[in-house]
Amino acid sequence: MDIVAIYIIAAGGIFVAFFFIRTLHQLCGPWTRAGVLLHLTYLAVNLLLIFFKIDSLTGAGRRAGELALVNLVFPLSAIHLSYLADLLGIIWRSCRKIHRATGWMAVSLLSFYMTVALQTQSYIFPLREAAISLGLLVLLSLPLVRRLSYEIFLRVHQVFAGIFVYGTWRHLPSHSHASKIYLLVALGVFGLTLLSQSIVFLYRNGLFSGRGTPRAIVSFSVSEAEEDSVVNAVHVRVLLPRPVRVEAGQYINLWMPSVSLCSWMQTHPFTVTSWSKGKQDTMELLVKPRTGLTADLARYAPTDEQTEGSSISFLALITGPHGVSEEVGQYESILLLASGCGVAGAIPYLKKAIYGYNTCTSQIRRLHLVWQVESIDEMSAALTLLNRLLKDDIVDGGYILHISIYVRDGLGHKKFLLGDHKRVYLYQGLPDYQSIISLEASGNQIERLSNMWDEQGRMLVMVSATDELRDRIRGVVRDYLHEGVKLSELEYQPSD
Ligand SMILES: Cc1cc2nc3c(=O)[nH]c(=O)nc-3n(C[C@H](O)[C@H](O)[C@H](O)COP(=O)(O)OP(=O)(O)OC[C@H]3O[C@@H](n4cnc5c(N)ncnc54)[C@H](O)[C@@H]3O)c2cc1C
């Protein structure tokens, strides 16, 4: 082959590789370098364990089969990922990533095992049911199917996982003690987590304690469109029979069986926007209507002027509060970046930070919320909550909270000041995250004492935004890590 042909093939290969990685990044990402490295290490360890000092292909296949069962311990260990994430002290998304990685690894190993067994005619156990349910599990886990109906995906996923375990157990040969032990460990962990989860669930909801069950009081933010009224947000207040302590940024899984025909089989995670130092007996949630249960809820919005502003009460049960809360007290400045309903994740942190400042229990001197919304209507849904924050932030006229709202369409002005204290600005268009982060990281936005040494403190950037935005912000913050800037991605990240 001549040198030009080699050059063309190499250049074409690099181009295709870049295109492939970029497309994969958009479809399955965003991922970080650390994430990719961890996944590759995980793959390498599994490959090593299969092929290290192996004498035959059959042996490699058998090892792959056993390894698949070991890998399955994680995906099978809890019915609710939120609960498992709490046990491990990690955020829900990380737990889902581990669940996904171990699940796909087990599927690949089992596929290898079956291929080898078929080729060498040494099918140790006929995995018919297990193979079929595993194949269906894989198909149903594809993002396309998941997006069609999340709830159906979730329930069918759980049913097929059950059939898979049953099929595998039935066909394990009686002498294969190790394989049985792996499966028993997975089932044992599952049983334990289910039991403890059920006890906490019964206690938290006051069931069998004579205190009554939690109720959800639902009200709506409605705006008038040309033909119809549009529900911008659903406000849910969950009244609890037992007060509970909720850390900033935590969420609950809400079960509201009487909202619609199928709502009894659905639980949905929502961030608790209310925060207080002690326990709360009422939790507040800000819900964006989508296409499933949240849309069913929005259909209860009053249509005539007489009932406008009224609320409806539903039976509700909860699990949680779940999730990891970021410690904010040791930072001098906090920048919260939110898009759309992601502001729900930012509000409790703002409350906590203002409380810390007012009571002199934290080092915070500046809070800046940058909120990106599509329209003025979307913004109006959270205005009451933001107004309450501004009211709390009044000690000594210090005003540490600043809010910048970027509205993509319909503002009519490039920049617009709201209120008297230069604390809230509305902008038309999209935020320039590079310059916002750079300005905040410089520390110049904080008034410093001129007659004494006032050392600049650390800065925290918190994000609750779409995948694409988060990816961009990660890239910007990376340049400021050496200046002590820390990035924290909140539990709730809106998908659009
Ligand atoms: C930790 C966390 C906190 C959240 N906090 C809030 C919040 O404060 N306010 C808010 O409006 N939304 C929040 N969400 C998103 C919210 O859970 C979904 O928008 C809601 O479940 C959609 O319900 P639906 O039936 O109308 O969804 P559908 O229209 O059927 O689905 C829309 C999308 O919502 C997601 N989704 C649906 N059901 C679930 C589920 N049971 N678990 C996880 N994701 C699901 C899926 O990505 C799906 O593609 C949070 C999500 C998580 C993971």
PDB file of all heavy atoms in Angstrom, residues 449-456:
ATOM      1  N   LEU A 449     -12.538  44.893  53.196  1.00  0.00           N
ATOM      2  CA  LEU A 449     -12.080  45.974  54.066  1.00  0.00           C
ATOM      3  C   LEU A 449     -10.745  46.485  53.554  1.00  0.00           C
ATOM      4  O   LEU A 449      -9.848  45.698  53.244  1.00  0.00           O
ATOM      5  CB  LEU A 449     -11.925  45.448  55.502  1.00  0.00           C
ATOM      6  CG  LEU A 449     -13.203  44.840  56.094  1.00  0.00           C
ATOM      7  CD1 LEU A 449     -12.897  44.137  57.401  1.00  0.00           C
ATOM      8  CD2 LEU A 449     -14.241  45.930  56.315  1.00  0.00           C
ATOM      9  N   SER A 450     -10.626  47.828  53.429  1.00  0.00           N
ATOM     10  CA  SER A 450      -9.404  48.377  52.826  1.00  0.00           C
ATOM     11  C   SER A 450      -8.285  48.539  53.850  1.00  0.00           C
ATOM     12  O   SER A 450      -7.112  48.521  53.510  1.00  0.00           O
ATOM     13  CB  SER A 450      -9.713  49.723  52.173  1.00  0.00           C
ATOM     14  OG  SER A 450     -10.365  50.537  53.122  1.00  0.00           O
ATOM     15  N   ASN A 451      -8.660  48.668  55.127  1.00  0.00           N
ATOM     16  CA  ASN A 451      -7.627  48.970  56.129  1.00  0.00           C
ATOM     17  C   ASN A 451      -7.057  47.731  56.810  1.00  0.00           C
ATOM     18  O   ASN A 451      -6.306  47.823  57.760  1.00  0.00           O
ATOM     19  CB  ASN A 451      -8.186  49.930  57.183  1.00  0.00           C
ATOM     20  CG  ASN A 451      -9.488  49.398  57.762  1.00  0.00           C
ATOM     21  OD1 ASN A 451     -10.006  48.390  57.275  1.00  0.00           O
ATOM     22  ND2 ASN A 451      -9.991  50.056  58.780  1.00  0.00           N
ATOM     23  N   MET A 452      -7.488  46.551  56.369  1.00  0.00           N
ATOM     24  CA  MET A 452      -6.889  45.342  56.963  1.00  0.00           C
ATOM     25  C   MET A 452      -6.850  44.213  55.935  1.00  0.00           C
ATOM     26  O   MET A 452      -7.530  44.247  54.915  1.00  0.00           O
ATOM     27  CB  MET A 452      -7.659  44.917  58.222  1.00  0.00           C
ATOM     28  CG  MET A 452      -9.104  44.550  57.974  1.00  0.00           C
ATOM     29  SD  MET A 452      -9.958  44.169  59.484  1.00  0.00           S
ATOM     30  CE  MET A 452      -9.398  42.528  59.781  1.00  0.00           C
ATOM     31  N   TRP A 453      -6.020  43.235  56.210  1.00  0.00           N
ATOM     32  CA  TRP A 453      -5.835  42.092  55.307  1.00  0.00           C
ATOM     33  C   TRP A 453      -7.098  41.223  55.324  1.00  0.00           C
ATOM     34  O   TRP A 453      -7.462  40.664  56.341  1.00  0.00           O
ATOM     35  CB  TRP A 453      -4.599  41.314  55.773  1.00  0.00           C
ATOM     36  CG  TRP A 453      -4.384  39.988  55.078  1.00  0.00           C
ATOM     37  CD1 TRP A 453      -4.303  38.767  55.668  1.00  0.00           C
ATOM     38  CD2 TRP A 453      -4.201  39.768  53.681  1.00  0.00           C
ATOM     39  NE1 TRP A 453      -4.085  37.798  54.740  1.00  0.00           N
ATOM     40  CE2 TRP A 453      -4.022  38.389  53.494  1.00  0.00           C
ATOM     41  CE3 TRP A 453      -4.178  40.612  52.556  1.00  0.00           C
ATOM     42  CZ2 TRP A 453      -3.817  37.820  52.250  1.00  0.00           C
ATOM     43  CZ3 TRP A 453      -3.972  40.033  51.306  1.00  0.00           C
ATOM     44  CH2 TRP A 453      -3.792  38.659  51.171  1.00  0.00           C
ATOM     45  N   ASP A 454      -7.797  41.191  54.186  1.00  0.00           N
ATOM     46  CA  ASP A 454      -9.055  40.441  54.090  1.00  0.00           C
ATOM     47  C   ASP A 454      -8.863  39.364  53.019  1.00  0.00           C
ATOM     48  O   ASP A 454      -9.046  39.612  51.828  1.00  0.00           O
ATOM     49  CB  ASP A 454     -10.175  41.425  53.709  1.00  0.00           C
ATOM     50  CG  ASP A 454     -11.543  40.764  53.733  1.00  0.00           C
ATOM     51  OD1 ASP A 454     -11.609  39.560  54.037  1.00  0.00           O
ATOM     52  OD2 ASP A 454     -12.537  41.452  53.440  1.00  0.00           O
ATOM     53  N   GLU A 455      -8.449  38.204  53.455  1.00  0.00           N
ATOM     54  CA  GLU A 455      -8.091  37.145  52.500  1.00  0.00           C
ATOM     55  C   GLU A 455      -9.326  36.605  51.776  1.00  0.00           C
ATOM     56  O   GLU A 455     -10.386  36.430  52.392  1.00  0.00           O
ATOM     57  CB  GLU A 455      -7.404  35.994  53.244  1.00  0.00           C
ATOM     58  CG  GLU A 455      -6.713  35.033  52.301  1.00  0.00           C
ATOM     59  CD  GLU A 455      -6.207  33.790  53.030  1.00  0.00           C
ATOM     60  OE1 GLU A 455      -6.276  33.757  54.271  1.00  0.00           O
ATOM     61  OE2 GLU A 455      -5.768  32.870  52.350  1.00  0.00           O
ATOM     62  N   GLN A 456      -9.149  36.364  50.471  1.00  0.00           N
ATOM     63  CA  GLN A 456     -10.274  35.835  49.693  1.00  0.00           C
ATOM     64  C   GLN A 456     -10.541  34.380  50.077  1.00  0.00           C
ATOM     65  O   GLN A 456      -9.623  33.565  50.162  1.00  0.00           O
ATOM     66  CB  GLN A 456      -9.944  35.919  48.199  1.00  0.00           C
ATOM     67  CG  GLN A 456     -11.107  35.482  47.326  1.00  0.00           C
ATOM     68  CD  GLN A 456     -10.787  35.561  45.841  1.00  0.00           C
ATOM     69  OE1 GLN A 456      -9.881  36.287  45.430  1.00  0.00           O
ATOM     70  NE2 GLN A 456     -11.531  34.829  45.044  1.00  0.00           N
TER      71      GLN A 456
END
